[in-house]
Amino acid sequence: MPEGPAQESIGLGHAARKAGRLDEALGHYRAALDHEPGSAEANSVYGLMLLNLGRVDEAEAPLRRAVEISPAHAAFRMNLAQLLAQQGRVEEAVKIVAGVAAEGPQFWWAWDRLGDLKVLQQEFADAALHFGQAVELRPKDPSILFKWSRANFDAGRIEEALRILDDAANLAPGHEAILRLHAEICEAQARWPALEQLSRSWVQANPKNAQAWRLLARAQTESGNLKQAMQNFRRSLELGWRDAGSLATFGKLCLTALEFESAVAALAEAETLDPHNIQMLSGQAIQLMFAGHYDEAQSYCRRSLQINPNDVAAYKLLTQLTLGQLPDDDFAALQRLAVRADISAEDRISAAFALADCLDTRGETDRAFAAYERANHLAGEVAAAQGYRYDPAARARQTDQLMAIFDSIPARTAAASGPTPVFIMGMPRSGTTLVESVIGAHSSVHACGERGEARWIMEEFLAQARTMAIAEIPEGTWKQWRDFYWREMPELKGAAVVTDKNPWNFDAVGLILRLFPDARIIHVRRNPVETGFSIYRNAFSKFMPFANRLEYIGHYYGEYARLMAHWERVAGDRVTTVQYEDLIGRFESGGPTLLAACGLEWEESCKTYWNSSRVISTMSTMQARQPPRMWAGRANRYAAHLS
């Protein structure tokens, strides 16, 4: 039968549509309808073209007319369902598509579309079922596999989603939608090593993809590899992903990595782009607090709360800045936030710690301790979910291992060229920040804060020590570690002495003295109960899982004390132990003695160390900017809870 003018116009319309000439296609379809107004096909293609051009209301009449003319035609019914979905009438669309699928169960595209509609209804389990039916009919289609995986993930079936996604990835390696979903699943499940491996593969396949670099930085941040995370985050910014939120996130990462100048620059640029960005405001507040500009820091917190009255980070910072003396309105808001179930676990943890500090300041010890318990319990659950659990037996074995490896310490050698390193260490919350502040006020000293380089070297060393004796480690390796440590230091500006006050270095004394034979070790010790309770009162990283249970803190302190006794035994006077209470209580004599242990003469600037303008980026930043004061006796008020 020869083709009539309507069919000829439809053919021309299809050709124009495929070539991207949509208005021309619409004209041909309109001509077909003019030639044959009773043609179901002409009505349907004309209505669908109107729909694709965004002329939704005009599309309804011809699409409905097509179904009236040919009610059994599956494609015409599907086109009408597409219109209804775009109009928000999803339930009507579902009924039509479900009918098509029931009548033609062999139509994979009907099951696929039914899954799409169920996603719109947020009925993810049903969506997964329908996508699965489509996959049975079309098993090698990665796009349907992707949607099936996505629906399973949204329905909470994580392992099933990953299994399906692996099949999709095998069919379409390097497909970015599949990679993004895989990354999202890794993030949701805190599978940071898997996310790092995935993002590394992604950046190798597409080194210009900013999101891949950003995900790599996220994984490295969560794994504690902050320097690499900074480098990779910066790469994503260079590739164009440079909005206020991204810059603010980068600035906060720089603060965590102790790269203060980079943080200040990133946060300033973020503020220029968007002065109302919440992440930027909290980042600015943190860096201003570290720099000692407390009034400005508070103003940024207030700006943030004007935009978002539920900003937990702002309340947490205000609590620190006011030493727990929040106004009643803020205190009431914090009480509400601490028990809200609809905010993230991290926010609830921060709110609970801040609330506890406020209650402590108000003298309500029982309520304060209950809030500290709640915060630590939740923090412990979050850490455990990510695989971070404290193992007392493993910690004791590590102490034994270090004592066996370093059963003696090489003798002190002549001073090397360059500055003398002074390592300040001890339990966290023992007073290491204050000690560095006193030493750092000296004109010959560059105070570097909590450096991470010795921790990285320690990990490398322990990996080597598993397979060889310390004497077998090549001298070239020691030199590489030594060079790495100095290379990663900030500009030292001709300082004769540099300080590294990472408290966790207390396990690395033997390694440090092997690397730097002229190093000075300042060990800060504080009343153990005060130290332990201070740890319990503060939010520590998931990498320190002992901090969330009092008995674990006690065990960890015992292992620390056992190891420090060993270092004092084998290193002798190369380790100087400073009792925090003695230093504060008799500062006039204790200060000069401390400086002498570093090989320095006393200077009057050290007497008023709290006036220093240097950045102090630790939990103790507020206390370190005040004259010597005995922060003791708090544990006695909580004696009933600390037995």
Side-chain angles (χ1 to χ4, degrees):
M1 182 177 175
E3 188 178 76
Q7 284 298 316
E8 183 179 351
S9 293
I10 289 173
L12 292 171
H14 290 343
R17 177 177 54 80
K18 288 179 182 178
R21 302 190 303 273
L22 303 187
D23 289 332
E24 180 185 333
L26 181 67
H28 289 304
Y29 293 144
R30 176 72 253 186
L33 192 58
D34 291 341
H35 287 304
E36 197 172 335
S39 165
E41 183 182 8
N43 274 279
S44 190
V45 294
Y46 177 61
L48 189 61
M49 194 69 249
L50 286 168
L51 188 62
N52 291 338
L53 288 169
R55 294 159 64 176
V56 180
D57 293 338
E58 296 175 65
E60 183 167 2
L63 289 173
R64 284 195 179 279
R65 178 66 180 142
V67 174
E68 289 170 4
I69 296 168
S70 185
H73 198 291
F76 300 160
R77 291 154 69 193
M78 294 292 286
N79 290 345
L80 177 59
Q82 183 176 338
L83 165 83
L84 293 169
Q86 286 191 226
Q87 289 178 326
R89 296 152 69 181
V90 181
E91 189 62 42
E92 294 178 60
V94 167
K95 289 179 181 178
I96 291 173
V97 177
V100 172
E103 294 166 17
Q106 75 278 15
F107 296 149
W108 66 266
W109 38 266
W111 296 113
D112 181 40
R113 183 59 182 147
L114 191 54
D116 290 337
L117 293 170
K118 287 295 182 178
V119 168
L120 289 176
Q121 292 181 309
Q122 296 192 331
E123 296 177 8
F124 300 115
D126 285 348
L129 175 66
H130 298 317
F131 287 133
Q133 290 166 307
V135 167
E136 286 183 17
L137 297 165
R138 195 175 173 85
K140 300 298 183 182
D141 189 327
S143 65
I144 306 176
L145 284 165
F146 167 78
K147 289 193 281 188
W148 189 22
S149 176
R150 170 91 251 179
N152 273 286
F153 173 55
D154 290 334
R157 298 196 285 260
I158 308 298
E159 296 305 323
E160 180 70 2
L162 284 169
R163 182 191 66 77
I164 297 166
L165 201 59
D166 284 342
D167 292 340
N170 289 333
L171 289 168
H175 192 287
E176 298 213 340
I178 293 172
L179 289 167
R180 277 195 297 273
L181 177 56
H182 199 164
E184 187 178 344
I185 294 173
C186 289
E187 285 189 282
Q189 295 293 294
R191 302 181 183 194
W192 307 120
L195 180 60
E196 182 167 1
Q197 182 179 0
L198 172 72
S199 356
R200 283 192 185 281
S201 301
W202 195 350
V203 297
Q204 287 171 3
N206 186 357
K208 294 189 181 299
N209 187 293
Q211 185 178 19
W213 288 103
R214 183 72 52 86
L215 288 166
L216 180 56
R218 174 75 195 281
Q220 291 168 332
T221 299
E222 293 292 343
S223 300
N225 192 350
L226 301 181
K227 288 294 180 67
Q228 281 295 316
M230 271 186 60
Q231 292 176 14
N232 292 322
F233 204 118
R234 185 179 282 113
R235 178 66 176 143
S236 77
L237 294 173
E238 291 168 353
L239 288 168
W241 200 348
R242 204 176 186 89
D243 55 41
S246 299
L247 286 159
T249 302
F250 178 63
K252 286 184 169 182
L253 171 59
C254 294
L255 287 173
T256 306
L258 306 179
E259 294 292 341
F260 197 72
E261 290 183 4
S262 296
V264 170
L267 291 166
E269 186 178 348
E271 186 165 13
T272 300
L273 291 174
D274 181 2
H276 305 295
N277 181 272
I278 292 286
Q279 289 292 319
M280 175 278 297
L281 292 168
S282 62
Q284 289 283 40
I286 294 169
Q287 70 93 357
L288 287 164
M289 180 178 70
F290 286 168
H293 305 309
Y294 301 139
D295 290 342
E296 289 181 71
Q298 286 199 45
S299 74
Y300 274 88
C301 291
R302 292 296 173 196
R303 283 171 57 187
S304 181
L305 289 171
Q306 286 177 354
I307 298 168
N308 177 15
N310 296 322
D311 184 1
V312 173
Y315 283 117
K316 182 74 168 69
L317 283 167
L318 282 172
T319 302
Q320 290 177 264
L321 290 161
T322 62
L323 298 177
Q325 298 177 15
L326 282 187
D328 288 344
D329 287 349
D330 292 335
F331 179 69
L334 195 53
Q335 285 182 297
R336 292 191 295 271
L337 287 166
V339 295
R340 279 181 56 169
D342 61 337
I343 62 175
S344 69
E346 288 74 14
D347 276 347
R348 276 180 282 147
I349 292 166
S350 292
F353 272 118
L355 175 61
D357 286 344
C358 292
L359 290 165
D360 175 78
T361 300
R362 292 169 180 234
E364 299 186 44
T365 54
D366 290 341
R367 290 183 64 201
F369 191 80
Y372 287 130
E373 278 192 311
R374 186 165 63 250
N376 277 292
H377 178 74
L378 184 54
E381 286 185 337
V382 170
Q386 297 188 32
Y388 296 99
R389 296 177 176 84
Y390 183 64
D391 184 341
R395 184 66 197 177
R397 286 195 300 271
Q398 188 178 46
T399 302
D400 292 337
Q401 178 192 21
L402 289 169
M403 291 166 63
I405 292 173
F406 293 102
D407 57 351
S408 63
I409 300 292
R412 189 195 304 270
T413 62
S417 60
T420 300
V422 172
F423 290 85
I424 304 163
M425 61 188 64
M427 282 289 285
R429 310 300 298 159
S430 63
T432 53
T433 298
L434 180 139
V435 166
E436 186 183 46
S437 295
V438 176
I439 299 169
H442 195 282
S443 61
S444 299
V445 176
H446 188 96
C448 295
E450 293 187 10
R451 306 301 303 175
E453 289 75 26
R455 306 312 306 151
W456 182 87
I457 297 171
M458 184 67 171
E459 287 185 21
E460 291 284 302
F461 167 76
L462 290 174
Q464 296 257 11
R466 293 189 191 102
T467 59
M468 65 180 72
I470 186 171
E472 297 173 342
I473 297 176
E475 190 56 41
T477 300
W478 292 102
K479 182 178 184 304
Q480 287 175 4
W481 288 338
R482 199 176 296 116
D483 291 345
F484 165 77
Y485 184 86
W486 289 117
R487 186 173 62 249
E488 294 298 314
M489 277 285 178
E491 174 57 50
L492 300 178
K493 302 171 184 176
V497 171
V498 297
T499 59
D500 179 338
K501 77 136 235 110
N502 194 318
W504 310 101
N505 283 336
F506 71 78
D507 65 355
V509 171
L511 175 67
I512 287 168
L513 292 178
R514 172 64 176 82
L515 282 167
F516 310 107
D518 61 329
R520 310 280 181 130
I521 307 293
I522 305 296
H523 165 222
V524 187
R525 184 171 57 200
R526 184 186 176 197
N527 176 291
V529 179
E530 291 288 354
T531 303
F533 186 45
S534 186
I535 291 170
Y536 195 68
R537 290 177 51 246
N538 284 276
F540 277 82
S541 159
K542 65 189 176 187
F543 303 115
M544 292 82 181
F546 74 90
N548 301 127
R549 286 177 58 176
L550 290 170
E551 59 268 40
Y552 285 169
I553 294 172
H555 182 273
Y556 191 92
Y557 191 101
E559 290 304 306
Y560 142 79
R562 188 160 71 95
L563 188 54
M564 283 311 308
H566 172 76
W567 297 135
E568 289 172 338
R569 195 163 50 246
V570 298
D573 62 1
R574 298 172 72 184
V575 175
T576 298
T577 296
V578 175
Q579 189 69 34
Y580 170 81
E581 291 82 2
D582 292 343
L583 175 64
I584 297 302
R586 294 186 288 274
F587 189 72
E588 292 294 331
S589 59
T593 301
L594 172 63
L595 269 291
C598 302
L600 296 165
E601 297 290 334
W602 180 251
E603 289 183 351
E604 284 302 302
S605 57
C606 301
K607 188 175 181 179
T608 55
Y609 62 87
W610 57 89
N611 290 327
S612 171
S613 60
R614 76 181 187 88
V615 173
I616 302 175
S617 54
T618 74
M619 292 178 182
S620 305
T621 182
M622 299 292 296
Q623 292 91 336
R625 294 193 187 279
Q626 299 180 39
R629 173 183 170 186
M630 190 69 72
W631 297 87
R634 179 179 272 111
N636 290 334
R637 293 194 281 115
Y638 290 84
H641 301 286
L642 301 177
S643 58

